[in-house]
Amino acid sequence: MGDFKILIDSTEFQQKVLDYISSGEIDKMIDATVFKDNQECKQAIIHGMVIASMLTSRCTFYKLTGE
């Protein structure tokens, strides 16, 4: 395979993380772990996800132009 980069829209990614956190999907994911009944751990997981998504704004930005 050639040398290439896969690009994502960091704002879209951040919105998807927020949507996931506010949906029931986060509960399903956490309920499948050892943290199922631990609200403090759930909040720590959510906090980590938010911080990780915010770090995408520190990634390299590329300007793509049409050919």
Side-chain angles (χ1 to χ4, degrees):
M1 295 185 85
D3 184 29
F4 62 92
K5 295 188 182 294
I6 297 173
L7 308 175
I8 64 165
D9 180 337
S10 61
T11 303
E12 178 187 3
F13 176 73
Q14 291 166 350
Q15 185 61 54
K16 288 194 179 292
V17 169
L18 292 174
D19 291 345
Y20 184 78
I21 289 169
S22 64
S23 75
E25 293 300 310
I26 186 84
D27 294 321
K28 290 178 190 176
M29 185 266 296
I30 294 172
D31 286 349
T33 72
V34 297
F35 307 113
K36 179 179 181 179
D37 296 318
N38 189 323
Q39 190 64 25
E40 193 172 294
C41 287
K42 177 182 176 181
Q43 291 304 314
I45 291 167
I46 290 171
H47 185 74
M49 291 174 68
V50 169
I51 290 172
S53 73
M54 290 179 358
L55 288 174
T56 61
S57 64
R58 293 186 178 180
C59 294
T60 302
F61 286 90
Y62 296 93
K63 182 176 180 179
L64 303 178
T65 56
E67 292 184 37

